[in-house]
Amino acid sequence: MNLDDAKRLDAADPLRSLRDLFTLPEGITYLDGNSLGALPRATPERIRRAVEQEWGQGLIKSWNTAGWIDLPRRLGDRLAPWLGARPGEVLVADSTSINLYKVLHAALQLQQGQRRVIVSERSNFPTDNYIAQSVVRAHGGELILAESPEEIPPLLDERCAVLMLTHVNYRSGRMHDMGLLTRWAHQAGALAVWDLAHSAGAVPIDLLGSAADFAIGCGYKYLNGGPGAPAFVWMHPRHEGQVWQPLTGWLGHANPFDFDSDYQPAPGIQQYQCGTPPVLSMTGLDTALDVFDAAQKLGGIKALRNKSLALTEAFIGGVEERVPGAAIATPREAALRGSQVSFSLPRDVDGYAVMQALIHQGVIGDFRAGDPELLRFGFAPLYNGFADVARAVDVMGDILDKRSWDAPEFTNRNKVT
């Protein structure tokens, strides 16, 4: 695809107006929205208003007058339709890791000690497996890691308490069949916990339709809530009232402002809130969700998914044509592909240095160490277009042709890769 073809496709894109809702630096091709979403244009002014008016003038009154206290549930209700959930079922609070600890603990409690094995993938995002290790230590259980998706079904046996998976794998971009794997887990007597960090806002999700048990995810990737934006947590309503989550903080109390000395859990998902909501970061996420309201009027998640598949397909084709020796790690089959493309380079090419050279020329993706090392490019259909695909492929091909990546300023590794 040349740049002229790409521009024609962008001109015909029914979602093209959404790009104008973001602040994107001139001359930058940003393909890292699966790691940190771009800045919505309205966010700085909205946060400024929260700081100067709600905090500066309203002071503590703003817990009531500006609705600060209701942000976790209100944001959850806004997010719910994009997760295949209903209003009242999703809570925005804490971080992905903390929420995962809560739901894994609750899931093992639901098993009443009869099963203590958590099954996941070795290639799962490390924090998920680290948290699972902590939970099984506390419960006297075991974490078993599949080496590949094909190894998962045999591990769903009479010992398995929980199947814990990330819907879209952070390294490869492979997307699991949530409904199928949840059904297999239930048939084995296990519960299914899903991490939606690399899914929410980019691919269709149907938590209720899939009969999942718990789900968590973050607000700063495809949801564009800003660095460190709060995460979300969901529990299937069938589990309501059966167990307590372990972090019994005051705002998870049924009546927090009664200031009782004994904990009584709030009903439903409210119990999964611990402490005071981070108002400024929640304000950023709240503003970011306005963009999804605009997207809903242009076809919603179906339109976003169609564009995502077209962008990733075009990028895969461009890489295969322009980058000799590239080994695509992301599935070509649409049903198995999230909204990113990852690939490795021949072993005599330093993938980290190639990514740094790309960034130096204004094409921003990211690098993931491991075996193999992967260059990873996320496509956010809200703001990425086909011109981004064409420029990224062209710049990358030029860097590899000239071996311009092989320079000290690119090979010295930064703290954050």
Side-chain angles (χ1 to χ4, degrees):
M1 177 193 300
N2 61 41
L3 187 57
D4 289 338
D5 291 336
K7 288 180 177 179
R8 281 193 291 270
L9 288 171
D10 285 338
D13 176 17
L15 302 178
R16 64 187 181 279
S17 62
L18 297 176
R19 186 180 177 101
D20 295 334
L21 301 180
F22 291 88
T23 297
L24 294 163
E26 187 70 28
I28 296 295
T29 298
Y30 189 67
L31 300 178
D32 207 11
N34 56 327
S35 201
L36 174 66
L39 173 66
R41 196 174 294 276
T43 298
E45 172 59 25
R46 178 65 189 89
I47 292 179
R48 185 194 65 78
R49 189 164 73 248
V51 171
E52 295 182 359
Q53 297 179 19
E54 295 173 11
W55 178 15
Q57 300 299 315
L59 296 169
I60 201 168
K61 295 181 297 181
S62 288
W63 285 107
N64 292 310
T65 58
W68 287 354
I69 197 66
D70 298 319
L71 278 169
R73 294 296 293 269
R74 186 163 64 81
L75 269 62
D77 287 351
R78 297 190 71 188
L79 188 55
W82 297 88
L83 306 179
R86 293 174 297 213
E89 294 178 353
V90 179
L91 185 79
V92 171
D94 301 312
S95 70
T96 307
S97 298
I98 291 173
N99 286 335
L100 183 60
Y101 182 85
K102 298 173 195 173
V103 300
L104 285 178
H105 188 283
L108 287 181
Q109 279 189 311
L110 284 166
Q111 295 286 15
Q112 300 178 340
Q114 298 172 14
R115 296 165 177 249
R116 296 181 180 178
V117 169
I118 296 175
V119 170
S120 191
E121 295 180 284
R122 190 170 302 281
S123 64
N124 199 359
F125 193 72
T127 194
D128 289 30
N129 289 345
Y130 300 161
I131 293 294
Q133 289 170 6
S134 173
V135 172
V136 295
R137 279 199 301 270
H139 285 265
E142 181 182 4
L143 173 64
I144 297 179
L145 300 177
E147 300 296 334
S148 69
E150 291 72 27
E151 289 187 11
I152 294 172
L155 298 177
L156 302 176
D157 57 21
E158 68 281 355
R159 300 180 304 149
C160 180
V162 178
L163 174 63
M164 176 193 73
L165 293 172
T166 298
H167 186 212
V168 173
N169 185 280
Y170 86 103
R171 283 180 57 81
S172 69
R174 176 175 176 145
M175 185 165 66
H176 285 296
D177 186 328
M178 182 185 293
L180 179 63
L181 283 162
T182 297
R183 184 163 67 251
W184 286 349
H186 289 171
Q187 288 171 352
L191 301 176
V193 172
W194 290 94
D195 181 342
L196 307 178
H198 290 83
S199 305
V203 303
I205 302 167
D206 188 3
L207 290 173
L208 287 169
S210 299
D213 295 286
F214 297 91
I216 53 93
C218 74
Y220 53 81
K221 293 183 172 65
Y222 293 112
L223 295 178
N224 309 300
F232 59 86
V233 57
W234 173 85
M235 171 187 67
H236 197 288
R238 64 174 171 266
H239 299 312
E240 181 174 344
Q242 296 188 46
V243 294
W244 288 11
Q245 65 98 348
L247 304 179
T248 50
W250 76 300
L251 285 179
H253 191 284
N255 298 291
F257 289 94
D258 285 354
F259 299 105
D260 291 336
S261 58
D262 294 321
Y263 179 78
Q264 294 296 324
I269 198 64
Q270 184 62 43
Q271 182 195 145
Y272 285 76
Q273 186 171 349
C274 294
T276 305
V279 170
L280 298 182
S281 58
M282 283 195 169
T283 298
L285 179 57
D286 192 21
T287 308
L289 292 178
D290 291 344
V291 178
F292 286 89
D293 292 343
Q296 187 62 42
K297 297 174 183 176
L298 297 174
I301 192 61
K302 183 178 180 180
L304 292 177
R305 177 61 170 164
N306 288 340
K307 183 178 177 182
S308 163
L309 289 173
L311 290 170
T312 51
E313 183 69 26
F315 187 72
I316 290 172
V319 169
E320 290 179 331
E321 180 180 342
R322 191 70 177 83
V323 182
I328 306 294
T330 304
R332 290 296 298 259
E333 184 179 344
L336 298 179
R337 188 166 75 243
S339 199
Q340 71 181 62
V341 176
S342 302
F343 62 89
S344 61
L345 295 169
R347 291 191 177 274
D348 63 339
V349 177
D350 185 341
Y352 175 81
V354 171
M355 182 57 71
Q356 296 309 303
L358 278 166
I359 292 170
H360 179 72
Q361 294 197 38
V363 177
I364 301 178
D366 64 26
F367 169 85
R368 289 294 176 257
D371 188 15
E373 296 182 338
L374 293 175
L375 279 71
R376 192 178 71 152
F377 299 85
F379 291 85
L382 290 170
Y383 53 80
N384 283 134
F386 292 94
D388 295 325
V389 172
R391 180 167 186 265
V393 170
D394 184 59
V395 172
M396 183 162 33
D398 186 65
I399 286 170
L400 290 165
D401 288 346
K402 297 177 180 177
R403 290 187 65 90
S404 57
W405 56 266
D406 194 8
E409 63 266 31
F410 300 139
T411 55
N412 293 330
R413 299 202 175 190
N414 294 318
K415 190 172 185 178
V416 177
T417 62

